[in-house]
Amino acid sequence: MVFSDRVSNRIQSFVGGILPYQERLQVRKAALYFVVILTCVVMMFPMYWMLVASVQPYDHIVQTPTWFPTQVIAAFQIDAYISVFADRNFERWYLNSVLVAIIAIVSSVGASTLAGYGLTRVQFRGRKNFARLILFSYMFPPILLAFPQYQIWRRLGLLNSYIGISVAHIAISLPFSMWMMWKFFQTVPIAYEEAAWMNGASQFHSFKDVAIPMAKPGMVAVAIFTFAVSWNDFTMATILLPDSSMQTLPPAVQTFVQQNYVYWGQIMAASTLMSIPPFLLVYKLQESILEGFRTGGL
């Protein structure tokens, strides 16, 4: 907003600074739209280049890259996508990532919701310090936990398993998720639950029928955060999934980079396919976020 104001002020100064008030508003609005569109173009260009490079021959990518639509259409081919599925175990890696992400999301949302509600509604000594301590545990980098977890998982027989890698992802995302839900439940008025209690509802039913619908935006935020952690994880998946058939997408895509050759087309095709679930998830949950906010304002 500040940058757009500067742009509009420069434009007004350029035209002499004598524009009427309504025209100044239009200039300011046009400057704001220009800045927003320019920002979107800059932010989305890497995604556009990834998509364009995935449908170009290898020689075009490394020697004469093209990104104009007419040039892209002229050199269009889907060999990289065919090669990803024909020469790699890509569908298995994709399925592994989806299953692990689903397990991590369900577990993290459920645990963080219960923990956040308990920290907000149940009065006990030191609960604020306990909540802050939970957030402090999120500061440890995953690589610090990976090797101890590897030793523990090896003895428990959880290496190369969906449960093992899912628990590792939950351990990474749960501290911040619990802190997020604790903060969110503080904004949910307890008066709604007290009204339900006066009508004969139990603590569990008030939690299920009153608190959960109003906490929906926070749960959606936790789901998106957990999905991002699980879907983009490279460290834990590399260490805890040594079997290539059990790997998730981030470490699996690394196999496209070899000592003497980099399969840029396959990397771009795989990255494009990896980007589909995050877009669909955020697009689908937009309505849930708005619905949750409307529910919280009843």
Side-chain angles (χ1 to χ4, degrees), residues 2 17 21 29 41 69 81 83 91 98 117 133 159 176 192 205 222-223 225 237 242 268 271 275:
V2 176
Y21 177 75
K29 188 176 181 180
V41 170
Y81 290 91
S83 179
E91 60 274 9
V98 172
Y117 182 82
L133 183 63
L159 292 180
F176 184 75
Y192 294 138
H205 284 89
V222 169
F225 172 73
M268 295 301 176
S271 300
S275 303

Side-chain angles (χ1 to χ4, degrees), residues 1-274:
M1 189 66 182
V2 176
F3 181 73
S4 62
D5 292 342
R6 293 179 179 177
V7 173
S8 62
N9 291 334
R10 291 289 183 86
I11 295 175
Q12 293 179 27
S13 300
F14 179 76
V15 298
I18 56 175
L19 291 176
Y21 177 75
Q22 292 296 333
E23 294 187 10
R24 289 202 304 270
L25 289 180
Q26 293 179 0
V27 170
R28 184 175 179 177
K29 188 176 181 180
L32 177 61
Y33 284 159
F34 173 77
V35 172
V36 171
I37 293 174
L38 181 62
T39 303
C40 291
V41 170
V42 173
M43 297 296 293
M44 293 301 297
F45 183 78
M47 299 292 296
Y48 172 75
W49 168 245
M50 177 182 67
L51 177 62
V52 165
S54 67
V55 294
Q56 291 187 28
Y58 179 82
D59 295 339
H60 282 218
I61 299 175
V62 299
Q63 296 179 3
T64 58
T66 59
W67 53 276
F68 286 104
T70 55
Q71 297 174 337
V72 172
I73 295 175
F76 183 85
Q77 65 176 29
I78 59 173
D79 293 352
Y81 290 91
I82 296 175
S83 179
V84 163
F85 287 97
D87 302 336
R88 309 282 179 172
N89 200 11
F90 189 77
E91 60 274 9
R92 177 61 186 270
W93 299 334
Y94 213 97
L95 178 62
N96 294 341
S97 293
V98 172
L99 292 177
V100 170
I102 291 175
I103 296 173
I105 289 173
V106 173
S107 302
S108 183
V109 170
S112 62
T113 301
L114 293 174
Y117 182 82
L119 288 172
T120 307
R121 298 295 189 259
V122 179
Q123 303 293 330
F124 60 91
R125 185 176 181 181
R127 60 191 181 96
K128 291 186 178 181
N129 293 330
F130 177 73
R132 296 188 181 101
L133 183 63
I134 292 175
L135 183 62
F136 175 76
S137 63
Y138 179 68
M139 300 175 61
F140 295 98
I143 191 63
L144 189 64
L145 306 175
F147 293 104
Q149 284 186 351
Y150 176 84
Q151 296 297 331
I152 298 174
W153 268 223
R154 183 174 60 86
R155 296 184 179 183
L156 296 177
L158 293 178
L159 292 180
N160 295 315
S161 66
Y162 295 129
I163 299 299
I165 188 63
S166 299
V167 171
H169 291 169
I170 295 169
I172 298 174
S173 62
L174 190 57
F176 184 75
S177 300
M178 292 173 61
W179 182 83
M180 187 186 304
M181 291 305 300
W182 172 58
K183 283 295 185 181
F184 189 85
F185 272 115
Q186 292 179 10
T187 65
V188 177
I190 196 175
Y192 294 138
E193 295 183 71
E194 291 175 345
W197 299 337
M198 293 179 63
N199 291 328
S202 63
Q203 181 81 33
F204 173 76
H205 284 89
S206 66
F207 168 71
K208 179 175 68 71
D209 299 330
V210 179
I212 290 296
M214 298 181 66
K216 199 172 184 180
M219 297 171 65
V220 169
V222 169
I224 294 176
F225 172 73
T226 305
F227 175 81
V229 170
S230 178
W231 193 257
N232 298 320
D233 173 65
F234 177 83
T235 303
M236 290 294 185
T238 302
I239 296 175
L240 302 180
L241 299 174
D243 187 358
S244 61
S245 63
M246 289 297 298
Q247 285 184 343
T248 54
L249 287 172
V253 173
Q254 187 193 22
T255 61
F256 297 164
V257 180
Q258 299 183 358
Q259 183 176 1
N260 300 322
Y261 194 83
V262 179
Y263 295 88
W264 286 113
Q266 295 185 20
I267 291 176
M268 295 301 176
S271 300
T272 302
L273 295 174
M274 285 179 60

